[in-house]
Amino acid sequence: MRRILIANRGEIAARIIRTCRILGIETVLAASAADLDSVPARMADRTVCIGPPRPADSYLKVETIVHAARATQSDAIHPGYGFLSERAALARLCEASGVVFIGPTAQQIDAVGDKLRARAEAEAAQVPVVPGCAVTELEEAVAAARTIGVPLLVKAVGGGGGRGMKRVDSLEQLPATLELAAAEAGAAFGDARVYLERYVASGRHVEVQVLGDGEGRVIHLGERDCSTQRRYQKLVEETPAPGLSRALREALHAAAVRFARRLAYRGAGTVEFLVDKERDGFYFLEMNARIQVEHPVTEAVTGVDLVAEQIAIASGAGLRLAQSDIRTRGCAIECRINAEDPDHDFRPSPGQITAVTWPVQEGVRVDTHIAAGSRVPPYYDSLMAKIIAHGPDRAAALTLLRQALAATHLEGVHSNLGFQAQVLADAEFVAGGFDTGFVARLLERRT
Amino acid sequence: MSLTAADVAEIMRLVEQSGFDELTLEMEGTKISLRRGVAASGAPSAPAAPKPAPAAPVAAAAAAAVADPGLKDLPSPLLGTFYRAPKPGAPAFVEVGSPVEADTIVGIIEVMKLMNTVRAGVRGTVAEILVADGVLAEYGETLMRVRTSG
């Protein structure tokens, strides 16, 4: 592979370019008009302007991206995360156009993108799923809801990542919620199908990183705990997940590998689980068929460059690592630094960065696309940077991360830097092993 | 005959390599003046432009053309391959000097076999064609410049 087109922006574009440089691969950045003077645009060997700032007119245009790859003689497309990364249409057009898609096959994206299908695959792979079922008729829905019990969630088949779900606390609410959920799902995902799932009150979000060669060989690179979430948006991620019994940890890893193996999964992927604190069990949530935002914590403890492995698998080198090659060392914690205002309901705070200092310290990694003068455009997500600390144990990593946040300085936009410092200082965070209700409780304590 | 952007660039390169400080070139309604050591202004490739277009450094002359209020840039409406003719071997939609109306088709942008016609958008005369046939045009890249009239 000689040249890769990067169909993304922000920190992940910069992150992919870094690995390409190490591998001696040229990079072409497909950028919107709003990102032409961004840090990744300056880092790439070439930048092509694919369209106006609005994602629908640039980053989400499948034909334009593939055309840009072909016209720039790029051998492959790396989709990063978000945007087109989990659109089967891009993988399919790449397959038809002789461009390598750095990711799973279009079929695999379809299989995990349809949440009902993914549930069925999980069950077939003997991976536990949250009690629930598909619903089409209201009568069967009411009957099913009685079996599942309330509270329950109405979820969109085409949703995921916290999008497209509604909570039902009593059976009387069910008909109205179902109707609303179906209408919203149709509008948001072009698929009005919904299903019911038991609401697990006290769950931890634990996910397992996997790599597959597309031929049925799959390895895992340990788990990440992403329970620090606000409205399903992850804020802090860490590995290993604190306080899991060895048996539960190994069961999670094995379940993720079974699921990915069943799909003969190709590339890097993440299998998400809900760990039921009360029952000490776990359920399959979904699979993310792409590189994750929080992948650096896994890289920190395993020493594996996941983007390099993605590229190797895509170029036909297969899996270069055996399960026995994966040894984890210490603990890593990542903080997402967003341009948002925690004092005003975390509303986005786009603008221009007038001054910035990122921490430079042994054991600290900063993945960012922000330098002095950089803009945070209003059209895209507000992620400015990820700060990752790696230490011999959780306490050491936490101390290092606190120091790194204290050494970080940003001017020009509001950021969640101060809020993240409060998260890391909170006794519940320090203890670890909390459920996804932690941030809501912290916000309660704050007021 | 008329000058293309490539011709102007070639002339500038020759001046730069020569021992001369000034060059005035006049031909069929086109006049180009190049001079070293003076701030750039005016349009080097504008047909029938009577005023001198000094440029220093010489290479800055082409960019200075943008400042001419009578010239309108025609940006590519999307990323794709630019074609000047409806099919290979056919005459180009327009050449430098061609008169255009707002709805005159001046080229095609092809995106994965989908042909998108590009129209002049203004009334005038094609003054310059900057993207060659069969080359990738980026979104917003200037395909050609039109000297407006009416």
Side-chain angles (χ1 to χ4, degrees):
Chain A
M1 215 173 267
R2 207 171 50 82
R3 187 179 296 157
I4 291 176
L5 179 124
I6 296 158
N8 215 299
R9 62 177 306 281
E11 65 85 20
I12 193 64
R15 158 76 190 87
I16 296 163
I17 293 169
R18 264 199 306 280
T19 285
C20 288
R21 279 182 177 171
I22 293 166
L23 299 174
I25 297 172
E26 291 176 14
T27 50
V28 177
L29 183 72
S32 81
D35 287 328
L36 293 178
D37 60 353
S38 63
V39 165
R42 274 178 265 152
M43 289 169 68
D45 293 299
R46 182 178 174 187
T47 296
V48 291
C49 184
I50 50 168
R54 245 167 40 95
D57 299 327
S58 48
Y59 294 110
L60 293 174
K61 288 183 83 171
V62 173
E63 284 78 14
T64 297
I65 297 290
V66 177
H67 191 97
R70 287 171 52 128
T72 55
Q73 284 91 47
S74 301
D75 305 302
I77 293 176
H78 197 305
Y81 53 68
F83 294 128
L84 294 176
S85 60
E86 290 177 282
R87 295 280 180 90
L90 177 62
R92 206 165 277 128
L93 189 59
C94 282
E95 284 164 16
S97 311
V99 177
V100 173
F101 177 74
I102 302 176
T105 65
Q107 277 184 320
Q108 290 164 351
I109 294 174
D110 277 336
V112 300
D114 180 319
K115 301 305 166 195
L116 270 178
R117 168 106 190 267
R119 269 178 69 97
E121 297 288 358
E123 286 180 297
Q126 270 111 50
V127 174
V129 295
V130 181
C133 65
V135 288
T136 43
E137 303 288 326
L138 182 61
E139 274 171 39
E140 61 167 345
V142 174
R146 274 206 189 89
T147 319
I148 296 164
V150 284
L152 57 80
L153 292 171
V154 180
K155 291 181 149 187
V157 173
R163 294 179 348 113
M165 51 183 170
K166 296 197 176 297
R167 186 174 152 169
V168 174
D169 289 306
S170 72
L171 286 176
E172 291 79 67
Q173 291 176 333
L174 189 66
T177 311
L178 267 180
E179 198 177 326
L180 184 64
E184 285 184 8
F189 311 111
D191 182 350
R193 290 179 299 154
V194 292
Y195 63 106
L196 304 183
E197 231 177 55
R198 176 187 291 165
Y199 175 77
V200 180
S202 180
R204 294 173 62 179
H205 177 120
V206 180
E207 58 186 31
V208 178
Q209 176 72 53
V210 296
L211 286 171
D213 66 356
E215 314 272 317
R217 263 191 73 213
V218 175
I219 61 166
H220 75 83
L221 289 90
E223 78 286 352
R224 296 182 287 256
D225 190 326
C226 311
S227 301
T228 308
Q229 307 183 352
R230 184 185 156 270
R231 295 187 187 166
Y232 302 106
Q233 297 305 305
K234 296 166 186 169
L235 288 170
V236 179
E237 301 97 343
E238 61 183 297
T239 187
L244 291 186
S245 68
R246 184 171 167 184
L248 182 55
R249 199 183 307 274
E250 285 175 358
L252 282 165
H253 296 165
V257 168
R258 276 203 308 278
F259 181 80
R261 192 178 287 144
R262 179 170 168 82
L263 299 178
Y265 188 80
R266 184 183 76 193
T270 298
V271 186
E272 294 189 341
F273 297 99
L274 188 64
V275 171
D276 191 333
K277 281 187 76 176
E278 280 148 25
R279 295 183 178 86
D280 200 36
F282 64 88
Y283 304 110
F284 169 84
L285 277 181
E286 61 185 40
M287 182 174 195
N288 297 313
R290 53 173 155 83
I291 192 84
Q292 297 269 103
V293 175
E294 59 272 23
H295 76 276
V297 293
T298 299
E299 294 186 327
V301 300
T302 60
V304 174
D305 180 333
L306 286 167
V307 173
E309 294 312 311
Q310 283 189 296
I311 293 170
I313 293 165
S315 54
L319 262 182
R320 302 185 296 186
L321 300 159
Q323 189 62 60
S324 55
D325 294 327
I326 307 300
R327 299 257 160 78
T328 61
R329 196 175 56 82
C331 167
I333 313 175
E334 169 185 283
C335 257
R336 300 189 187 195
I337 307 302
N338 300 328
E340 61 188 16
D341 186 356
D343 293 331
H344 292 92
D345 202 29
F346 294 85
R347 69 178 173 209
S349 174
Q352 187 165 27
I353 312 299
T354 48
V356 59
T357 312
W358 296 116
V360 181
Q361 203 173 346
E362 180 76 30
V364 173
R365 164 175 167 180
V366 180
D367 279 20
T368 185
H369 60 116
I370 298 296
S374 291
R375 283 174 191 285
V376 179
Y379 318 101
Y380 315 112
D381 75 40
S382 60
L383 181 65
M384 292 191 287
K386 305 178 312 207
I387 303 178
I388 305 102
H390 179 214
D393 54 34
R394 190 169 187 268
L398 187 51
T399 302
L400 200 53
L401 188 54
R402 285 186 190 136
Q403 290 168 354
L405 288 199
T408 304
H409 182 70
L410 273 160
E411 278 175 35
V413 297
H414 290 284
S415 84
N416 64 346
L417 201 53
F419 180 74
Q420 290 287 43
Q422 288 178 29
V423 169
L424 300 187
D426 190 83
E428 199 175 348
F429 186 89
V430 174
F434 43 82
D435 65 31
T436 53
F438 161 61
V439 173
R441 290 190 294 273
L442 174 69
L443 286 167
E444 283 287 307
R445 286 197 284 276
R446 258 174 116 223
T447 49
Chain B
M1 74 168 281
S2 52
L3 290 173
T4 65
D7 293 335
V8 176
E10 177 68 6
I11 293 166
M12 290 194 292
R13 195 181 61 79
L14 291 171
V15 172
E16 212 154 33
Q17 288 170 355
S18 75
F20 298 103
D21 285 324
E22 199 173 332
L23 168 85
T24 305
L25 175 66
E26 267 190 279
M27 46 190 285
E28 285 184 35
T30 303
K31 178 175 171 179
I32 286 186
S33 299
L34 296 172
R35 197 179 302 150
R36 293 180 194 269
V38 186
S41 70
S45 59
K51 59 182 184 295
V58 176
V66 182
D68 187 325
L71 276 184
K72 192 163 183 324
D73 285 355
L74 177 59
S76 179
L78 66 175
L79 175 141
T81 301
F82 180 58
Y83 289 109
R84 290 191 49 201
K87 57 184 180 213
F93 291 108
V94 292
E95 299 285 356
V96 170
S98 298
V100 292
E101 299 293 328
D103 63 353
T104 302
I105 294 172
V106 298
I108 288 171
I109 299 280
E110 178 250 328
V111 187
M112 296 303 284
K113 306 277 181 284
L114 188 72
M115 304 299 173
N116 306 271
T117 51
V118 182
R119 293 172 197 275
V122 290
R123 185 173 182 211
T125 312
V126 176
E128 207 178 343
I129 297 171
L130 292 117
V131 177
D133 187 60
V135 168
L136 178 72
E138 296 179 28
Y139 166 75
E141 185 173 351
T142 303
L143 298 172
M144 49 184 77
R145 294 196 175 107
V146 177
R147 177 153 295 282
T148 55
S149 59

